[in-house]
Amino acid sequence: MTAATALAHPNIAFIKYWGDKDPVLRIPANGSLSMNLDNLYSLTKVSFDPELVWDELFIDGQVAGDTAHQRVSHFLDHVRKLSGIASKARVESENNFPTGVGVASSASAFAALSLAASRAAGLDLDERSLSRLARRGSGSACRSVPAGFVEWQPGEDDERSYAKSIAPADHWQLYDCIAIISQEHKETGSQEGHRLADSSLLQRTRVEDAPRRLGLCREAILKRDFEAFADIVEFDSNLMHAVMMTSQPQLFYWLPATIAVMQAVSEWRKSGTAVCFTIDAGPNVHIITLEENSPGVIADLMHIPGVKKVLVSRPGAGVRLVNG
Amino acid sequence: MTAATALAHPNIAFIKYWGDKDPVLRIPANGSLSMNLDNLYSLTKVSFDPELVWDELFIDGQVAGDTAHQRVSHFLDHVRKLSGIASKARVESENNFPTGVGVASSASAFAALSLAASRAAGLDLDERSLSRLARRGSGSACRSVPAGFVEWQPGEDDERSYAKSIAPADHWQLYDCIAIISQEHKETGSQEGHRLADSSLLQRTRVEDAPRRLGLCREAILKRDFEAFADIVEFDSNLMHAVMMTSQPQLFYWLPATIAVMQAVSEWRKSGTAVCFTIDAGPNVHIITLEENSPGVIADLMHIPGVKKVLVSRPGAGVRLVNG
């Protein structure tokens, strides 16, 4: 029996991934750009064991449901193909944050699984290969492989679609204050949402404009220009939600408190605070700010009706092995 | 001295007007389609009086502010040019609904003003000429001139940009239940908003697709096909708000209760009720339903936190003269 344990952080996208050119290989419609979140993580142990007659999956100590099991087992099939190993595996994964709150646990889970499974199978993949592998489990997982600020080059095929770091975690002390508004499970998950992206007549314009937005966001990060960063991050989030709400069927991820937080953030920004919002496929709002503004922002967020709690993260490292 | 009094209803657009090809003449970027609202009206009396040294404007019994006065006086200059009359005028206008609540008072006010002013000036304009005249005061006012269900043909110039009825008021007993969420004055008015439409990279796609949406909406109304009507009306509203929230600066007209109402309407619709939403440049939600569903819809709306009151209208007549 061979085993390995890995840890990975989820990430928040500043330029969003929405829609696939190839939904099986998860080649995205457009490039995206994100930051790993240091305070949140998935910790995943993989043990290939010749005694097992099928793959086993435990999430936070519980036997996983059929959908999650099939997705992981399918992913392990790919690792077995790459490594030539035949054994079934036991996968034990823990998140230090609740699943289904709108913080993408699939990104950190599949990034950690990629490293743990490949290492347990005897493979020693470089960062690019690991990112490609993680991408096959969950698109945005490829961005949780490299460290800090990360760009996913969309590519046209499996070889060329992977993420790489554009700046290390200590390059810029951005704070991500996640206003948790609902912990209920989403009605339409991201996987299904990606499939609906092309049903919006706005998606094509969004995708064609993506290189411009990536350029602006990359430059703002490299120059630590918060004003420019805030403009493009809010615009990109609004643009993705514009696509969502005009897809067929229409997708609305916002709740009343989502709007309340967006409005509060806009007011703080107008009054001179370095702060902006970005929203994934869920009702929670990620409020990005600088270290010096974070205590005030967190306190003010807690006073908005409908905000249940605030999770805070700084830029995080990439996926790594830990002692199991 | 010559005087005339006219009454006009506001209208709710099912296919929205947003953005101008010519902001001075108010030639719109795309055609639009609306229904007059029978329970709401503006009542406007115009008296041309050689004794007056300037135009006078009273709204709901109060002397109007400078902005409104200038806009109306500029409009009267156009009527004076058309009629050859030189006198200044006294304009007394009343609305039976509060101004600035997100129900477009400018549409009914300028439709009523067009008929009252032109008649007081001795002109006898046909419906098309009246609609063109009203358009110069406020774009959507041209749709409050004809009766019932009305389409505004965008045209390319002043002569060809006017509205006409596609079905009389009694064609289909649609109910518009307006959930009033805020009575505060809007931060960004429609006039300013129209100017921002082209700053969104989505506006071009929205405009190019407009003939398709108009065709679907017109056909749904003519066939009284509520399902098809609801699909295109919600889509068009979402599309306009997608443009608004991606313009520069971004325009968010929604409040938390706006989202709460949209979600409630979506749930009612999923459970089989003939109901849909549409939202103008403001936080209030127009809930369109059929006569048999209206009592239940109104009662349910009143239970949603943040809904201050509900105004109800059926399809209304066009502008007409009344005894002053």
Side-chain angles (χ1 to χ4, degrees):
Chain A
M1 190 182 97
T2 54
T5 303
L7 182 150
H9 301 292
N11 62 74
I12 175 63
F14 300 136
I15 302 297
K16 307 290 191 192
Y17 156 46
W18 193 247
D20 288 310
K21 268 188 290 221
D22 180 334
V24 176
L25 288 176
R26 292 192 168 86
I27 311 295
N30 62 279
S32 52
L33 203 158
S34 62
M35 172 181 110
N36 290 339
L37 301 176
D38 74 336
N39 261 354
L40 311 176
Y41 62 79
S42 296
L43 184 68
T44 303
K45 179 177 183 179
V46 177
S47 321
F48 283 100
D49 183 348
E51 303 287 307
L52 292 172
V53 292
W54 49 61
D55 294 317
E56 291 181 351
L57 172 62
F58 300 87
I59 299 177
D60 294 326
Q62 308 287 314
V63 175
D66 284 351
T67 310
H69 184 273
Q70 276 175 25
R71 194 168 167 189
V72 165
S73 198
H74 181 73
F75 180 84
L76 291 170
D77 287 344
H78 184 61
V79 174
R80 281 185 279 260
K81 206 175 79 180
L82 289 175
S83 63
I85 210 169
S87 306
K88 299 296 181 186
R90 180 179 301 106
V91 177
E92 296 155 279
S93 190
E94 285 169 31
N95 302 309
N96 76 334
F97 57 101
T99 49
V101 298
V103 180
S105 58
S106 60
S108 49
F110 276 100
L113 180 62
S114 296
L115 178 54
S118 60
R119 199 52 82 95
L123 295 168
D124 184 14
L125 301 178
D126 61 13
E127 184 183 276
R128 174 176 165 172
S129 302
L130 260 185
S131 178
R132 286 172 48 210
L133 176 59
R135 193 200 72 233
R136 295 175 75 119
S138 172
S140 56
C142 79
R143 293 192 312 245
S144 283
V145 170
F149 298 87
V150 173
E151 184 169 345
W152 177 6
Q153 316 201 13
E156 294 290 332
D157 53 32
D158 177 47
E159 262 94 67
R160 286 175 291 174
S161 188
Y162 61 94
K164 60 182 185 182
S165 182
I166 62 162
D170 63 2
H171 166 72
W172 197 14
Q173 283 307 295
L174 290 183
Y175 274 59
D176 180 9
C177 308
I178 314 174
I180 303 291
I181 283 163
S182 171
Q183 311 207 31
E184 280 174 41
H185 223 76
K186 297 180 258 180
E187 208 171 308
T188 306
S190 311
Q191 284 205 87
E192 194 184 334
H194 283 296
R195 278 194 289 271
L196 290 176
D198 282 334
S199 74
S200 165
L201 86 170
L202 304 181
Q203 169 72 349
R204 188 174 157 183
T205 305
R206 181 187 158 275
V207 167
E208 285 174 354
D209 181 62
R212 183 188 70 87
R213 298 194 305 280
L214 283 164
L216 287 172
C217 189
R218 194 188 306 119
E219 194 177 307
I221 290 172
L222 295 179
K223 290 183 177 169
R224 302 184 191 90
D225 178 347
F226 196 90
E227 238 344 82
F229 172 80
D231 279 343
I232 195 63
V233 167
E234 290 193 354
F235 177 72
D236 188 82
S237 175
N238 292 343
L239 192 54
M240 180 177 74
H241 287 272
V243 167
M244 290 166 163
M245 68 179 66
T246 55
S247 65
Q248 291 173 319
Q250 57 190 342
L251 294 176
F252 275 98
Y253 286 104
W254 300 344
L255 292 176
T258 309
I259 291 281
V261 173
M262 291 167 83
Q263 288 187 324
V265 170
S266 293
E267 279 162 32
W268 301 338
R269 207 181 147 199
K270 272 181 203 158
S271 71
T273 306
V275 64
C276 67
F277 64 78
T278 184
I279 306 173
D280 281 344
N284 301 329
V285 186
H286 292 251
I287 297 95
I288 315 295
T289 189
L290 297 175
E291 186 161 21
E292 59 266 34
N293 300 121
S294 61
V297 164
I298 295 162
D300 289 344
L301 283 171
M302 291 300 294
H303 284 102
I304 298 174
V307 173
K308 300 208 168 117
K309 60 178 160 185
V310 179
L311 305 176
V312 183
S313 281
R314 290 180 298 181
V319 67
R320 65 257 190 207
L321 292 169
V322 294
N323 293 326
Chain B
M1 190 182 99
T2 54
T5 304
L7 182 151
H9 301 292
N11 63 73
I12 175 64
F14 300 137
I15 302 296
K16 307 291 189 190
Y17 156 46
W18 193 247
D20 288 310
K21 267 189 288 222
D22 180 334
V24 176
L25 289 175
R26 292 191 168 87
I27 311 295
N30 62 280
S32 52
L33 203 158
S34 61
M35 171 182 112
N36 291 338
L37 302 176
D38 75 335
N39 262 353
L40 311 176
Y41 62 80
S42 297
L43 184 68
T44 303
K45 180 178 183 179
V46 176
S47 320
F48 284 99
D49 183 348
E51 303 287 308
L52 292 172
V53 290
W54 48 61
D55 293 319
E56 291 180 350
L57 172 62
F58 300 87
I59 298 177
D60 294 326
Q62 307 286 316
V63 175
D66 284 350
T67 311
H69 185 275
Q70 277 175 24
R71 193 167 167 189
V72 165
S73 197
H74 180 74
F75 180 84
L76 291 171
D77 287 343
H78 184 62
V79 174
R80 279 184 280 260
K81 206 175 79 181
L82 289 175
S83 63
I85 210 171
S87 305
K88 300 297 180 185
R90 178 179 302 105
V91 177
E92 296 154 279
S93 191
E94 284 168 32
N95 302 309
N96 77 334
F97 57 100
T99 49
V101 297
V103 179
S105 58
S106 61
S108 50
F110 277 99
L113 180 62
S114 297
L115 179 53
S118 60
R119 200 51 83 95
L123 296 167
D124 185 14
L125 302 179
D126 60 13
E127 184 183 276
R128 173 175 166 174
S129 302
L130 260 186
S131 178
R132 287 173 47 211
L133 176 59
R135 193 200 71 234
R136 296 176 74 119
S138 171
S140 56
C142 78
R143 294 191 313 245
S144 283
V145 169
F149 297 86
V150 174
E151 184 169 344
W152 178 5
Q153 316 200 12
E156 294 290 332
D157 53 32
D158 176 48
E159 263 93 67
R160 288 175 291 175
S161 187
Y162 61 94
K164 59 182 187 181
S165 181
I166 62 162
D170 63 2
H171 166 72
W172 198 13
Q173 284 307 294
L174 291 184
Y175 275 58
D176 180 8
C177 309
I178 314 174
I180 303 290
I181 283 163
S182 171
Q183 311 207 31
E184 280 174 41
H185 224 75
K186 297 180 258 179
E187 208 172 311
T188 306
S190 311
Q191 284 204 86
E192 193 185 334
H194 284 295
R195 278 193 290 271
L196 290 176
D198 282 333
S199 74
S200 165
L201 84 171
L202 305 180
Q203 168 73 348
R204 188 174 158 181
T205 305
R206 180 187 160 275
V207 167
E208 285 174 355
D209 181 63
R212 184 188 69 87
R213 299 194 304 280
L214 283 163
L216 288 171
C217 188
R218 194 188 307 120
E219 194 176 306
I221 290 171
L222 295 178
K223 290 182 175 169
R224 301 184 193 89
D225 178 346
F226 196 90
E227 239 343 84
F229 172 80
D231 279 344
I232 194 64
V233 167
E234 291 194 352
F235 176 72
D236 188 83
S237 175
N238 292 343
L239 192 54
M240 180 177 74
H241 287 272
V243 167
M244 290 165 163
M245 68 179 66
T246 54
S247 65
Q248 291 171 317
Q250 57 189 341
L251 294 176
F252 275 98
Y253 286 103
W254 299 346
L255 292 176
T258 308
I259 290 281
V261 173
M262 290 167 83
Q263 288 187 324
V265 170
S266 293
E267 279 162 31
W268 301 338
R269 206 180 148 199
K270 273 182 202 155
S271 71
T273 306
V275 66
C276 68
F277 64 78
T278 183
I279 306 172
D280 282 343
N284 301 329
V285 187
H286 292 251
I287 297 95
I288 315 294
T289 188
L290 297 175
E291 185 161 19
E292 59 266 34
N293 299 120
S294 61
V297 164
I298 295 162
D300 288 344
L301 283 172
M302 291 301 294
H303 285 102
I304 297 175
V307 174
K308 301 209 168 116
K309 59 180 161 183
V310 179
L311 305 175
V312 183
S313 281
R314 291 179 299 181
V319 67
R320 65 258 190 206
L321 292 168
V322 295
N323 293 325

